[in-house]
Amino acid sequence: MDKIVIQGGARLSGEVAVSGSKNAALPIMMASVLTPEPVIIRNLPRLRDITTALTLLNHLGVEHRWIDDHALELCAARIKSHEAPYDLVKTMRASFFVLGPLLARTGRARVSTPGGCAIGARPVNLHIRGIRSLGARIQLRHGYVEAHAERLVGTRIWMDNPSVGATENVIMAAALARGRTALENAAREPEVQDLARMLNAMGARISGAGNHVIEIEGVERLHGADHTVINDRIEAGTLMVAAAITGGDVVIRGACAGELEATIAKLRESGVEVASAAGGLRVRRHNIIRPIELRTLPYPGFPTDLQAQMMALLANAEGTSVITETIFENRFMHALELLRMGADIAMKGPTAVVRGVPRLSGAPVMATDLRASSSLVLAGLAAENTTEVQRVYHLDRGYEALDSKLRALGARIERVPDRGAS
Ligand code: UD1
């Protein structure tokens, strides 16, 4: 297992390119199950979660061929297994997103439930309820969701909260259902919109993605498609915070301002300059970091996946910030590690009060989940002396070569084998 070692204090400058979106790519890969024809997916990030998704698809009988480093052809001509096993679903929750497509294509699916997760309970009740509304018979047995349906039937579905994964699962299932589905209170995230674009390119009839109500007119069959995944707005936001936390000046190529409005607004409020630049955004900071109030919300609100990174920034502010996490109940694990670096953070329920300190001090810290690990890397960039971030596999699940990208911008960061790791 590797660790990342950072000598803090280097100001970042230069240009960096954003990779394809992990969270868009995963459901899009699962959508390949919906057709016997080959689909091509471009701008795929090379990361561990993508490899896990590929392992799952291969297990189901989907064949793959890499066209180049970031383009993949998937072909589900023959489905050999109807089961997503526990080992794969527990490694990556998004494996559960295969339930809808597998059931819609073959009439049956047996998918392990994901169980707990470092950032909260994360149930799948909304996925199950949505797919059941489409007429599936679903039983929960031995930790698995067992679903059957001759053919799913379109209907009106109200989602209690706008879950990203449940929205994706339901629209993939409804794409092949008989008749029309209206999904109300749907998630509006850009990743949902990208999945709808992919499905429409495959012959689906989906409208309204990006709005509260998504309508899906089921079709008899779907065909092959060639789709380019959107860029990763969370990686872009992470790189923006990296520029900000080091008082740097960085052009982030491929960052989409329209998808990052809440993030840009909050960075500006905290004294960071964000301007459009050719093909992306330029992020600079000359002044102090100002304290702000921040609340995570479903899109287009401030993303929970950037909360940990903003906490690292605000730990360096001149004054007291308040962060409220409304999406996941246990998403402050990074705060405990930031405390080890000298941050002043008090937590009560969903709220963290972050009193900025003049300078964090480098320390060995341990990542507990994907975004927590990037927040610790960011904190290390600004801290005095050396920070060692252990359990880097979390980072590798969701960021393509983050350490190399930061190094190219002038960060003193390296990846070394962690001999002490258990
Ligand atoms: C996706 C993203 C994840 C991001 C999250 C919220 C992927 C692969 N992952 O996760 O990075 O942090 O959106 O933006 O796209 N919930 C239920 N029942 C359900 C489903 C969800 O109660 O059946 C709750 C969750 O516990 C959570 C909230 O709804 O409190 C939002 O979760 P959801 O949008 O489903 O997140 P994911 O799709 O798992």
Side-chain angles (χ1 to χ4, degrees):
M1 204 186 296
D2 292 344
K3 64 183 173 187
I4 284 188
V5 180
I6 307 159
Q7 297 295 333
R11 205 179 142 262
L12 301 193
S13 67
E15 278 194 27
V16 61
V18 179
S19 298
S21 160
K22 167 180 90 73
N23 285 355
L26 293 172
I28 283 172
M29 289 174 73
M30 303 302 170
S32 67
V33 169
L34 287 164
T35 175
E37 295 182 19
V39 300
I40 294 174
I41 307 171
R42 301 182 195 274
N43 198 32
L44 264 189
R46 292 302 292 258
L47 2 125
R48 250 172 34 112
D49 273 9
I50 298 295
T51 314
T52 307
L54 203 48
T55 309
L56 170 63
L57 291 170
N58 289 155
H59 173 85
L60 300 176
V62 179
E63 292 183 351
H64 80 276
R65 176 175 74 87
W66 284 100
I67 297 167
D68 63 40
D69 261 7
H70 295 94
L72 178 68
E73 184 181 81
L74 294 170
C75 184
R78 232 165 47 83
I79 301 290
K80 289 192 303 213
S81 161
H82 295 80
E83 180 171 310
Y86 178 52
D87 274 355
L88 290 171
V89 185
K90 78 164 192 256
T91 312
M92 183 185 71
R93 268 182 63 82
S95 304
F96 194 77
F97 301 177
V98 84
L99 173 66
L102 191 55
L103 175 67
R105 165 85 185 277
T106 68
R108 65 190 166 103
R110 185 168 188 269
V111 178
S112 169
T113 54
C117 160
I119 62 175
R122 296 183 89 174
V124 286
N125 57 320
L126 298 172
H127 299 241
I128 294 173
R129 201 185 302 157
I131 287 172
R132 201 173 255 151
S133 307
L134 294 170
R137 298 181 302 282
I138 296 188
Q139 279 192 308
L140 261 164
R141 287 209 309 195
H142 312 301
Y144 280 73
V145 170
E146 296 179 352
H148 292 87
E150 311 275 89
R151 179 151 184 216
L152 297 168
V153 181
T155 186
R156 182 172 283 270
I157 300 170
W158 166 265
M159 278 215 302
D160 290 349
N161 78 49
S163 155
V164 175
T167 300
E168 293 170 340
N169 229 334
V170 168
I171 65 176
M172 286 192 277
L176 283 180
R178 183 168 1 102
R180 185 168 159 279
T181 299
L183 183 58
E184 298 180 1
N185 199 27
R188 300 167 63 193
E189 270 68 0
E191 294 76 18
V192 172
Q193 300 175 38
D194 203 30
L195 173 64
R197 271 191 293 273
M198 162 72 163
L199 293 169
N200 284 340
M202 293 167 72
R205 294 174 58 195
I206 300 169
S207 58
N211 299 325
H212 291 296
V213 182
I214 301 181
E215 292 185 337
I216 307 123
E217 194 66 53
V219 295
E220 290 283 329
R221 63 186 59 80
L222 294 170
H223 52 69
D226 187 330
H227 179 81
T228 301
V229 171
I230 53 170
N231 284 343
D232 197 313
R233 64 193 168 101
I234 304 303
E235 187 202 9
T238 304
L239 292 166
M240 290 167 80
V241 176
I245 206 168
T246 62
D249 182 354
V250 177
V251 171
I252 298 154
R253 278 192 286 118
C256 173
E259 292 171 358
L260 285 159
E261 276 179 12
T263 306
I264 293 171
K266 284 294 157 186
L267 282 171
R268 285 191 176 140
E269 210 180 311
S270 68
V272 180
E273 285 175 45
V274 184
S276 25
L281 291 170
R282 180 173 179 188
V283 181
R284 283 182 290 181
R285 183 174 66 81
H286 304 296
N287 302 318
I288 59 152
I289 301 165
R290 288 199 295 263
I292 58 169
E293 280 186 22
L294 184 77
R295 170 180 284 265
T296 63
L297 287 169
Y299 187 82
F302 189 90
T304 174
D305 284 352
L306 284 172
Q307 179 259 107
Q309 298 87 321
M310 283 298 276
M311 186 181 283
L313 178 71
L314 297 173
N316 292 276
E318 270 192 26
T320 302
S321 302
V322 178
I323 299 180
T324 308
E325 171 60 57
T326 75
I327 309 290
F328 293 111
E329 68 271 24
N330 192 25
R331 207 171 199 182
F332 285 144
M333 300 298 276
H334 46 282
L336 301 171
E337 297 298 297
L338 291 172
L339 290 178
R340 303 195 58 251
M341 298 177 71
D344 182 348
I345 303 168
M347 285 161 287
K348 189 153 192 241
T351 302
V353 176
V354 185
R355 291 186 192 84
V357 296
R359 185 107 193 247
L360 296 176
S361 75
V365 285
M366 199 163 70
T368 45
D369 69 69
L370 168 54
R371 307 304 171 186
S373 58
S374 66
S375 123
L376 298 174
V377 169
L378 295 172
L381 293 177
E384 243 169 14
N385 294 332
T386 310
T387 297
E388 286 186 9
V389 183
Q390 297 167 9
R391 298 207 181 157
V392 169
Y393 61 88
H394 288 297
L395 200 67
D396 295 338
R397 282 190 52 193
Y399 287 95
E400 181 170 6
L402 185 65
D403 44 329
S404 318
K405 289 188 184 187
L406 293 171
R407 191 162 48 246
L409 293 171
R412 293 185 295 260
I413 178 168
E414 55 179 342
R415 178 183 285 260
V416 296
D418 187 359
R419 299 192 200 292
S422 55

